[in-house]
Amino acid sequence: MRKIFISPSILTADFARLEQECKALEKCGADWIHCDVMDGNFVPNLTFGMPIIKSIRKCVVLPLDVHLMIDRPERYIAQFAEAGANLITIHAEATENVADCLKLIRSCGKKVGISVKPNTPVEVLQQYRGLFDMILIMSVEPGFGGQSFIEESVNKIRRARELFPDVLIEVDGGINKHTAKKVIEAGVDVIVAGSAIINVADRKHAIEELRKM
Ligand code: DX5
Ligand code: ZN
C-alpha cells in the first residue's frame, strides 16, 4: 500500500495565530504544510510571500509545500528557497520560461513541482519530463479556498498517473473525505485540503479520514 501524504493548506487559517495553527497541524498528523502564495495577477486574490514562509519555517519541522500562484515566478524562486520552502510548485501557465524556472528550483536544492489549472491538459507537461518531482493537479480554479471539486479532475489524475508513473501527484481544491477517496483511487500521492481540515473542530480526525483508501 502506498503512503498518502496530507498537506493541509493554511489559506483558511487564522493568520493572526499562524504559529499556533501550524504547530497544531503538525501535532494532528499533517505530513507537509501547504502554503498558498497569490499575487493578485495570476489569480484574483492576494495572500502572503517570503516573510511569512520564513516565519512558518521557524515554528514547525514539517516540510513546507509552497504553491506559487504568481506570474513569472522565476523572479522570486531564490528568495522562497532561502526563506525555507522544501518543495516549490510553479504553474505551467505562469511563465514563458517553464523549463528554466524548474531548473532554477532544482539548482536551489529544492524539490520541484509543476501545476496545471483545470483547463490546462496534463499532456503539456510532457515537454518538461525529468525536470520535476511532482505534478499538482488543480481541482478548482486557483485563487480561493472552499470551492467545489471539479469532477473531471479524477480523469486528469488518472491520465497524469499513466503518463508520469515516477513522479508524485498532488491534488488541490475541494478535497473532503468523499472526493479524497476518488482521487486516491485515481492515483494521487499528496492531498491538499484547506477547509476540510482547518474549518473543523477535530483536525486530527479530519486528517485521518482523508488518508483512508
Ligand atoms: C486554492 C488553493 C488551495 C486552497 C484549497 O487556490 O491553492 O490550496 O486552499 O482549499 P480547499 O481545500 O478549501 O478547497
Ligand atoms: Zn494550493
Side-chain angles (χ1 to χ4, degrees):
M1 230 198 311
R2 70 186 197 279
K3 178 174 164 72
I4 303 295
F5 295 87
I6 307 293
S7 188
S9 162
I10 54 168
L11 182 62
T12 34
D14 180 352
F15 284 1
R17 301 175 60 255
L18 258 192
E19 177 172 8
Q20 293 98 306
E21 296 271 57
C22 291
K23 283 184 170 156
L25 289 169
E26 188 163 56
K27 247 181 125 177
C28 288
D31 297 295
W32 301 351
I33 302 272
H34 185 83
C35 306
D36 286 306
V37 177
M38 304 187 189
D39 68 350
N41 283 305
F42 183 71
V43 288
N45 196 7
L46 283 162
T47 55
F48 52 79
M50 296 77 81
I52 299 285
I53 301 291
K54 201 170 170 187
S55 299
I56 298 174
R57 180 66 293 158
K58 291 183 200 147
C59 350
V60 289
V61 297
L62 290 183
L64 301 184
D65 168 26
V66 176
H67 178 193
L68 296 182
M69 285 163 275
I70 64 178
D71 276 329
R72 292 190 291 131
E74 56 273 20
R75 295 174 294 162
Y76 298 107
I77 298 296
Q79 292 176 63
F80 278 105
E82 175 78 9
N86 297 82
L87 188 153
I88 299 177
T89 298
I90 61 154
H91 268 265
E93 309 88 352
T95 171
E96 285 172 7
N97 302 306
V98 173
D100 287 345
C101 199
L102 297 174
K103 287 178 198 163
L104 180 58
I105 300 172
R106 196 160 271 169
S107 75
C108 292
K110 305 300 173 179
K111 291 279 182 209
V112 185
I114 176 96
S115 182
V116 280
K117 296 204 280 184
N119 292 330
T120 306
V122 75
E123 284 76 5
V124 305
L125 303 183
Q126 280 172 300
Q127 59 191 305
Y128 311 122
R129 192 181 285 279
L131 298 180
F132 54 83
D133 307 295
M134 187 182 83
I135 295 174
L136 165 54
I137 305 281
M138 284 308 300
S139 42
V140 298
E141 279 301 330
F144 300 92
Q147 303 181 73
S148 304
F149 180 78
I150 298 171
E151 290 292 334
E152 183 50 30
S153 315
V154 176
N155 288 330
K156 200 164 170 183
I157 289 163
R158 229 173 253 131
R159 181 79 182 125
R161 186 78 287 165
E162 273 168 31
L163 288 173
F164 304 96
D166 302 328
V167 303
L168 289 175
I169 299 180
E170 179 177 60
V171 65
D172 183 6
I175 300 294
N176 53 41
K177 64 179 178 188
H178 307 291
T179 52
K181 252 197 161 54
K182 299 185 203 177
V183 296
I184 290 173
E185 246 171 57
V188 298
D189 307 285
V190 189
I191 286 188
V192 176
S195 31
I197 296 174
I198 304 293
N199 298 351
V200 303
D202 191 345
R203 293 180 178 175
K204 189 169 193 287
H205 179 72
I207 290 174
E208 282 162 10
E209 287 282 297
L210 291 175
R211 255 190 241 284
K212 280 190 189 156
M213 306 233 181

